[in-house]
Amino acid sequence: EPEVTQTPSHQVTQMGQEVILRCVPISNHLYFYWYRQILGQKVEFLVSFYNNEISEKSEIFDDQFSVERPDGSNFTLKIRSTKLEDSAMYFCASSERRLYEQYFGPGTRLTVT
Amino acid sequence: KQEVTQIPAALSVPEGENLVLNCSFTDSAIYNLQWFRQDPGKGLTSLLLIQSSQREQTSGRLNASLDKSSGRSTLYIAASQPGDSATYLCAVRGNYGQNFVFGPGTRLSVLP
């Protein structure tokens, strides 16, 4: 069964460093999403992406974040200058169409020290 | 702003019991609602997607119902098994948005 994959599974970085989290969505899906979950808290929406542009973003998704689909398969989330409070599990998701069921990847645990 | 709550926060039942998990949302103008399962330290597994025009959806031992006007959804699990132990999340999508608003989850333990 097709699935969303994410790499790395765990990333440790120092405060102020840039990180790139990678996702490979399900191949025939057109809509892509990033969510995050701080330990012990709710899953929160960050951004949705369609047709090579951001279609919706939350107030969390400020100028330090960016997303890109550099080729036909990868979807990336870049955090420019990490802060301690960026430590969280980051989930990528994809859906075939807008408002369709979303399928989530296993997540990348980001630890900022 | 949409708020989603889930009751109870945690539930422990003996194997074989039928159980109900509750999800409430404050804004009834929703497009759909999705139930997920999350195992510790893992990603989210989609269980059921229920559209705002539907009253219920079934998959195996799972049944999700939706009462949009009262802002409630329930997830019914029949004949629970230890493998059902996980956190169950509901997520609501508004009429004009693509993103989900998640509830805090119900942590379920099914004891053998």
Side-chain angles (χ1 to χ4, degrees):
Chain A
E1 187 174 324
E3 57 183 20
V4 177
T5 60
Q6 290 185 243
T7 54
S9 57
H10 190 192
Q11 172 96 45
V12 181
T13 189
Q14 288 190 326
M15 197 166 52
Q17 295 296 303
E18 175 183 286
V19 294
I20 297 176
L21 310 183
R22 291 183 167 80
C23 168
V24 179
I26 294 173
S27 62
N28 64 330
H29 286 189
L30 301 177
Y31 290 81
F32 315 116
Y33 313 86
W34 284 102
Y35 292 81
R36 79 171 185 190
Q37 186 177 33
I38 295 171
L39 188 63
Q41 297 188 22
K42 294 183 182 184
V43 176
E44 301 172 289
F45 168 77
L46 293 178
V47 66
S48 59
F49 190 85
Y50 168 71
N51 200 26
N52 280 321
E53 59 183 34
I54 291 173
S55 49
E56 193 174 351
K57 62 181 181 179
S58 72
E59 56 199 24
I60 302 170
F61 194 87
D62 61 22
D63 290 346
Q64 69 161 339
F65 291 96
S66 62
V67 288
E68 194 178 33
R69 189 155 161 82
D71 54 43
S73 60
N74 288 286
F75 177 51
T76 62
L77 174 69
K78 183 193 289 187
I79 309 176
R80 242 177 290 283
S81 178
T82 50
K83 305 171 194 167
L84 294 175
E85 54 265 37
D86 293 328
S87 294
M89 184 77 99
Y90 287 81
F91 294 110
C92 173
S94 68
S95 65
E96 190 176 345
R97 297 280 187 271
R98 184 175 179 271
L99 302 178
Y100 274 35
E101 190 169 359
Q102 292 185 12
Y103 294 88
F104 280 65
T108 293
R109 180 169 299 284
L110 177 65
T111 303
V112 182
T113 61
Chain B
K1 183 184 170 185
Q2 180 73 270
E3 296 284 344
V4 181
T5 55
Q6 292 184 245
I7 293 173
L11 180 64
S12 185
V13 300
E15 182 176 4
E17 267 202 15
N18 303 323
L19 57 102
V20 175
L21 308 181
N22 297 289
C23 172
S24 297
F25 46 93
T26 54
D27 185 351
S28 62
I30 67 165
Y31 189 86
N32 54 31
L33 181 149
Q34 193 165 349
W35 281 93
F36 296 88
R37 159 190 180 134
Q38 184 175 29
D39 292 281
K42 299 286 178 64
L44 281 64
T45 301
S46 176
L47 298 174
L48 288 163
L49 176 74
I50 184 165
Q51 303 294 346
S52 62
S53 58
Q54 296 177 309
R55 300 285 291 181
E56 61 181 68
Q57 274 281 25
T58 298
S59 175
R61 294 184 294 109
L62 306 179
N63 176 277
S65 69
L66 176 64
D67 184 344
K68 199 174 77 159
S69 60
S70 67
R72 290 181 189 169
S73 176
T74 61
L75 180 67
Y76 175 83
I77 303 177
S80 58
Q81 303 169 357
D84 295 331
S85 299
T87 296
Y88 290 81
L89 305 174
C90 76
V92 171
R93 181 191 269 138
N95 276 332
Y96 302 104
Q98 297 173 53
N99 62 295
F100 278 113
V101 177
F102 278 81
T106 293
R107 192 171 65 254
L108 172 66
S109 297
V110 181
L111 307 174

